[in-house]
Amino acid sequence: MTDTAAPTTTARHRHDAGPAVAILRGGTGEHVEDVIRVLVESGVRAIELTTNTPRWQDGIAWAVDRYGSGAAVGVGTVLEPRQLDEAAALGATFAVSPHTDPAIGERAHERGLGWYPGAATPTEIVTAWRHGARAVKVFPAAQLGGPAFLQQVLAPLDFVDVIPTGGIGVDDAADYLAAGAVAVGLGSPLVGDALRGGDLDGLRTRAERLVAALAR
């Protein structure tokens, strides 16, 4: 893919379904649909199902069928271009990887999927952006230095849209938006035991708290 220059417009990308992306990873697959339902009902309408989650295909198909354009459903932990073919056929609209692989980016664009590759350093972030990322997944965000790190990186790279992910808690997600992120990705701090143990009440409480915090 041809490298793209830094855009001159001041318009910022926002995730199609809002500033919070719920990352569903692990569990047994038994509670996938219930977890998605509670998240969407609570206002978290961007759902990423990772390829190492049992029944991720069923979850994507179910969410697309139930919510249509009312939720953005994507596939995560994409390590091979072929995984995008299956996700796109199921109706996914975006794809996330922990790394930047131009071949995955090419296939994502061919399949009409928004591409969110992972990067950590300024060099990696710019490389991912120039390879056509819709936004760059800064990962693992908390371990890299949290909002302070993000603010420092975006000072010279303010043309790059970033979605920090990794170790972000419900109560500090808003700090990442204040530091310049266009959205935040949350996994276990949001989902908790819901995928494995079915704790939907706890999930609903955290999701509603997250949505309220990000709306301020």
Side-chain angles (χ1 to χ4, degrees):
M1 181 177 296
T2 303
D3 286 355
T4 58
T8 57
T9 178
T10 58
R12 304 296 289 167
H13 163 73
R14 293 293 184 271
H15 197 285
D16 293 342
V21 181
I23 303 166
L24 276 55
R25 181 189 308 280
T28 63
E30 178 183 358
H31 304 292
V32 168
E33 287 84 357
D34 285 337
V35 168
I36 296 171
R37 175 180 54 79
V38 169
L39 286 167
V40 175
E41 289 176 354
S42 301
V44 179
R45 295 188 173 90
I47 311 296
E48 172 191 335
L49 286 115
T50 68
T51 60
N52 53 359
T53 296
R55 297 185 60 245
W56 67 268
Q57 300 97 328
D58 294 337
I60 289 177
W62 181 87
V64 169
D65 180 67
R66 171 147 185 173
Y67 298 109
S69 61
V73 184
V75 59
T77 313
V78 176
L79 302 176
E80 302 289 342
R82 59 179 174 76
Q83 293 172 318
L84 298 173
D85 300 333
E86 187 171 10
L90 293 168
T93 60
F94 67 93
V96 185
S97 292
H99 66 312
T100 296
D101 181 342
I104 292 176
E106 291 278 8
R107 186 68 63 84
H109 286 288
E110 290 172 2
R111 298 303 184 193
L113 301 174
W115 182 45
Y116 302 86
T121 67
T123 297
E124 293 174 352
I125 291 169
V126 172
T127 298
W129 184 252
R130 289 181 170 172
H131 276 294
R134 187 170 186 183
V136 179
K137 169 185 172 177
V138 177
F139 171 80
Q143 290 75 14
L144 288 169
F149 168 83
L150 195 66
Q151 188 171 33
Q152 290 294 317
V153 167
L154 291 180
L157 304 182
D158 58 352
F159 57 90
V160 180
D161 292 335
V162 298
I163 300 178
T165 301
I168 299 176
V170 170
D171 295 322
D172 56 38
D175 295 337
Y176 286 87
L177 294 186
V182 299
V184 289
L186 292 89
S188 57
L190 170 62
V191 178
D193 187 50
L195 275 176
R196 184 171 296 278
D199 181 10
L200 300 179
D201 290 338
L203 172 63
R204 187 181 300 276
T205 297
R206 290 186 297 274
E208 291 176 349
R209 193 166 83 240
L210 173 65
V211 171
L214 296 182
R216 293 172 188 162

